[in-house]
Amino acid sequence: MLTLKIWIVQALFIFFTTESVGELLDPCGYIKPESPIVQLGSNFTAVCVLKEKCMDYFHVNANYIFWKTNHVTIPKEQYTIINKTASSVTFTDISLLNIQLTCNIRTFGQIDQNVYGIRIISGLPPEKPTNLSCIVNEGKKMMCQWDPGRETYLETNFTLKSEWATEKFADCKTKRDTPTSCTVDYSPVYFVNIEVWVEAENALGKVTSDHINFDPVDKVKPSPPHNLSVSNSEELSSILKLTWINSSIQGFIGLKYNIQYRTRDASTWSQIPPEDTASTRYSFTVQDLKPFTEYVFRIRCMKEDGKGFWSDWSEEASGITYEDNIASF
Amino acid sequence: MSRREGSLDPQADSSISPLPHLEAKIHQTHSLARLLTKYAEQLLQEYVQHQGDPFGLPGFSPPRLPVAGLSAPAPGHAGLPAAERLQLDAGALSALPPLLDVVRRHQAELNPRALRLLRRLEDAARQARALGAAVEAVLAALGAETRGPRPEPAVAAAAAATDAGVFPAKVLGLRVCGLYREWVSRTEGDLGQLVPGGPA
C-alpha cells in the first residue's frame, strides 16, 4: 500500500511539473549555452530561461531561480536577474575541469525543483607542437613525432601534414594511443624534398607547428648489415677478416660503419677507428689481435655523410685467430 | 625557387654562393632520376607479367609509335646542348603522368587484383611529376627556359583509341611504361653530365 502511494505521488509530481500528459519530458526551462567548453581560468556565464507556462503554473519568476554546481548551491551574489523569465550566473577564473550546473526553482515556498542541467567542460587550447622530427626505417614508411605541448584536458587531435612542391599527401591522423607520432601511409620517395608540419586542434583552438623541409634520404635508419662472417688467416695469427652484406639501400647512398669487437669473455667493446670505415665496403680486416683468441664482432651502418640514423647492430659473429706459429715451436 | 625544391633559393641567404646549392640540387635530381630508372624497370617488368601472352614472349615487339605525340628520346638527343636536353626531358616528364593515369585506369579494369601494379602506376605518375619539377628547377637555376617543345596534349585521344579493345589498351600501357623508362633513364644520363666529376 505504501509503495502504491509513493508511486502515485511520484506520478503526480511528474504530471504537475510538465505542461500536459502528452509532454511528460518537456522541462520547465532551459540553460544556454547547452554544452559549453570553456577555457580554464576564464569567466563563464550561463543563462536559465523559464517557460511562461511553468511560471504561471508554479507562480514563479526568475527571482525564484537558484543555481547549483555539483549539488552545492551557488551564492546569490553570482546571480544576475536579466528579466522576469531569465537569470544568469557568472563564474570567474574557472578552475574545475568538469562542472555539473543546474538551474532550480523553489516552488510553493518549500519544494526545490530542477529546471535544467548542463555539464561545463573546461580545458586549454593546444600549444604549438614543437621538436617535430621524422625517421624513415629502411623498407618502411616515414614516421614523424613531436612534443605536443601542455596538457589540454580536452580531446585534442593532431594531424601530420606533408607535401611535395608538386602535390599534397593525405593527412596522417594520430591514433588515440599514440597521439604524438604518426606513420604516413605512402611509401617514401628519396631525393624529393618533402615539407612536413603538425596541426593540433581541440574545441578551444587550432595551432600549427613550424614546417620542416627535408629529403627523406637524409632521415633514413638503414637495415643493419647482415650475414656477418669472420675468417682467420693461417699466415697471420693477429688478424681476422670480416665480411658482410649491406642492405639494399647501398644502391642509392654511400654508407659508413661502426665495427666493434671484444674477446669472448670481455664485457666492453673496442671500436675500429671510424675513419677507417667511412665509406661503403663489404669486408674489413681487423689487425693487431691476440693469437689463438676468440673475438666477437658486430657492425652497424648509416648514411656516409652522417645524415640520418645509425642502423641497429648486426647479429654478432665470432672467430678465433690462428695459433702463433712461432709460439707453437 | 620554391623552398620545397630543395632550398635552391640563392635569395634566401645572400651570404652563400648559389653554386653549392645548384650542385646539391643537380646531385639530388640525378639521384632521383637514377632511383626512378630502377623503379621504371620494375614497373615495366610487372606490367608485362600481368598482360598475358603474347606480352613477355620473346620476339613480341609491337610498333614503337608515338603516344599522344610523345616519342622516345631521339637518336640525336645526346648531342644536343645540356639545357636543350633537359628541356626535352622536362617536357616528356610532364606529358607522362596523364598517360600513366590512363594506363592505370585501363589496368584497374583489366587487372583489378594487380594491386601492386596499380600502385606502381600511380606512384610512377606522381614521381614523374616530381622529377619533372626538379628538372625544371635545375633549368631555372641555370638560367635556361624551363619548357622546350611539348608533345601535343592528346591524352583523351590515347584513352579513346584504346576503347577499341583490350589488346590496344595493353599495347598502349606497354608503350607508355617503355617511354617512362626511356625518359627517366635519359634524364639520369643528362643530369649525370652536369654532376661534378660525372662523364663529360
Side-chain angles (χ1 to χ4, degrees):
Chain A
M1 191 59 183
L2 178 62
T3 306
L4 178 61
K5 284 182 182 173
I6 291 172
W7 183 89
I8 290 171
V9 167
Q10 286 177 336
L12 285 172
F13 175 79
I14 291 170
F15 176 74
F16 285 127
T17 55
T18 60
E19 292 182 42
S20 71
V21 174
E23 297 176 293
L24 285 175
L25 297 178
D26 194 16
C28 237
Y30 56 86
I31 296 175
K32 290 273 188 207
E34 174 82 48
S35 304
I37 298 177
V38 177
Q39 184 161 339
L40 281 167
S42 69
N43 300 339
F44 171 73
T45 297
V47 178
C48 183
V49 180
L50 298 176
K51 292 183 180 173
E52 293 275 356
K53 285 186 180 177
C54 218
M55 292 168 59
D56 293 340
Y57 191 86
F58 290 109
H59 306 291
V60 296
N61 57 48
N63 285 295
Y64 291 74
I65 291 174
F66 64 99
W67 295 87
K68 285 183 174 181
T69 53
N70 300 340
H71 312 297
V72 175
T73 302
I74 300 170
K76 282 195 179 298
E77 292 76 34
Q78 289 175 244
Y79 302 178
T80 299
I81 305 300
I82 298 172
N83 54 41
K84 74 166 189 166
T85 67
S87 163
S88 71
V89 64
T90 297
F91 304 91
T92 57
D93 190 18
I94 285 198
S95 59
L96 293 177
L97 296 179
N98 202 324
I99 303 169
Q100 185 191 57
L101 176 67
T102 57
C103 168
N104 310 273
I105 50 176
R106 174 152 287 187
T107 61
F108 309 115
Q110 57 186 334
I111 302 175
D112 291 343
Q113 298 189 32
N114 175 255
V115 172
Y116 208 77
I118 65 168
R119 189 164 293 277
I120 307 170
I121 306 292
S122 51
L124 294 166
E127 274 183 329
K128 177 176 168 177
T130 56
N131 294 332
L132 174 61
S133 65
C134 300
I135 183 171
V136 179
N137 286 285
E138 184 183 347
K140 296 196 166 50
K141 294 170 181 171
M142 182 173 73
M143 187 275 287
C144 300
Q145 56 189 30
W146 54 89
D147 292 332
R150 65 183 168 197
E151 174 64 61
T152 61
Y153 308 104
L154 300 172
E155 184 176 340
T156 300
N157 295 317
F158 293 90
T159 304
L160 181 75
K161 291 181 174 288
S162 55
E163 62 184 36
W164 285 348
T166 50
E167 47 210 291
K168 297 183 188 329
F169 294 102
D171 289 346
C172 187
K173 294 190 189 305
T174 58
K175 298 182 173 50
R176 272 186 185 275
D177 54 349
T178 54
T180 60
S181 69
C182 208
T183 299
V184 299
D185 67 355
Y186 53 87
S187 297
V189 177
Y190 301 131
F191 313 116
V192 184
N193 269 52
I194 190 166
E195 188 148 319
V196 175
W197 65 100
V198 177
E199 278 186 4
E201 183 174 16
N202 66 19
L204 292 178
K206 182 173 168 178
V207 70
T208 299
S209 73
D210 289 339
H211 293 211
I212 58 172
N213 185 299
F214 58 91
D215 184 340
V217 83
D218 293 333
K219 303 291 182 187
V220 168
K221 178 181 177 180
S223 300
H226 58 281
N227 284 27
L228 179 64
S229 69
V230 186
S231 57
N232 57 21
S233 164
E234 201 172 332
E235 291 82 23
L236 288 173
S237 59
S238 63
I239 68 169
L240 288 170
K241 182 177 178 182
L242 312 180
T243 59
W244 60 87
I245 299 174
N246 292 311
S247 69
S248 58
I249 201 163
Q250 60 101 39
F252 305 110
I253 59 173
L255 298 172
K256 66 175 182 179
Y257 308 86
N258 285 159
I259 296 176
Q260 292 186 344
Y261 62 95
R262 59 178 173 83
T263 56
R264 173 60 70 183
D265 52 2
S267 57
T268 57
W269 294 90
S270 301
Q271 182 159 287
I272 301 295
E275 54 268 28
D276 292 346
T277 55
S279 58
T280 307
R281 56 195 304 150
Y282 312 92
S283 66
F284 189 87
T285 298
V286 183
Q287 302 178 46
D288 298 328
L289 300 174
K290 288 187 266 189
F292 202 51
T293 304
E294 184 180 13
Y295 286 88
V296 182
F297 296 88
R298 64 182 186 178
I299 182 172
R300 65 179 183 175
C301 65
M302 76 176 298
K303 192 163 176 268
E304 189 173 33
D305 62 7
K307 294 178 183 174
F309 303 89
W310 283 105
S311 72
D312 292 336
W313 288 104
S314 68
E315 298 264 339
E316 294 176 1
S318 59
I320 304 176
T321 47
Y322 232 80
E323 281 188 80
D324 192 337
N325 289 332
I326 296 173
S328 68
F329 283 107
Chain B
M1 172 66 57
S2 163
R3 184 163 175 266
R4 294 184 213 128
E5 292 296 334
S7 300
L8 191 55
D9 182 3
Q11 304 297 326
D13 186 344
S14 57
S15 66
I16 297 177
S17 164
L19 195 52
H21 293 282
L22 174 57
E23 285 182 2
K25 183 59 183 172
I26 291 172
H27 191 268
Q28 183 191 39
T29 309
H30 175 248
S31 297
L32 175 61
R34 189 165 47 134
L35 178 68
L36 297 191
T37 300
K38 178 190 165 188
Y39 289 169
E41 287 283 354
Q42 294 172 348
L43 169 62
L44 185 57
Q45 286 176 20
E46 184 139 10
Y47 181 87
V48 167
Q49 284 168 11
H50 283 285
Q51 307 315 307
D53 290 345
F55 295 85
L57 291 179
F60 176 69
S61 180
R64 289 162 55 89
L65 298 171
V67 175
L70 177 64
S71 301
H77 180 105
L80 296 170
E84 201 172 325
R85 280 185 273 127
L86 290 177
Q87 285 168 348
L88 291 170
D89 295 338
L93 290 167
S94 74
L96 280 163
L99 292 170
L100 288 162
D101 286 338
V102 168
V103 174
R104 185 179 56 78
R105 285 198 294 275
H106 288 160
Q107 289 299 306
E109 292 181 15
L110 298 172
N111 292 298
R113 291 186 187 163
L115 298 180
R116 192 168 66 180
L117 172 62
L118 297 175
R119 196 180 63 246
R120 281 192 196 272
L121 286 164
E122 185 176 358
D123 288 348
R126 178 188 301 137
Q127 288 155 10
R129 273 193 292 273
L131 180 58
V135 170
E136 293 195 7
V138 170
L139 279 167
L142 290 171
E145 284 184 20
T146 55
R147 286 286 170 87
R150 301 188 62 181
E152 296 129 24
V155 172
T162 56
D163 287 342
V166 169
F167 188 76
K170 290 185 175 183
V171 170
L172 173 72
L174 181 67
R175 191 76 185 104
V176 169
C177 291
L179 283 168
Y180 175 57
R181 182 190 61 175
E182 289 183 85
W183 278 105
V184 293
S185 176
R186 185 64 262 166
T187 303
E188 180 193 351
D190 293 339
L191 287 165
Q193 296 186 20
L194 296 181
V195 172

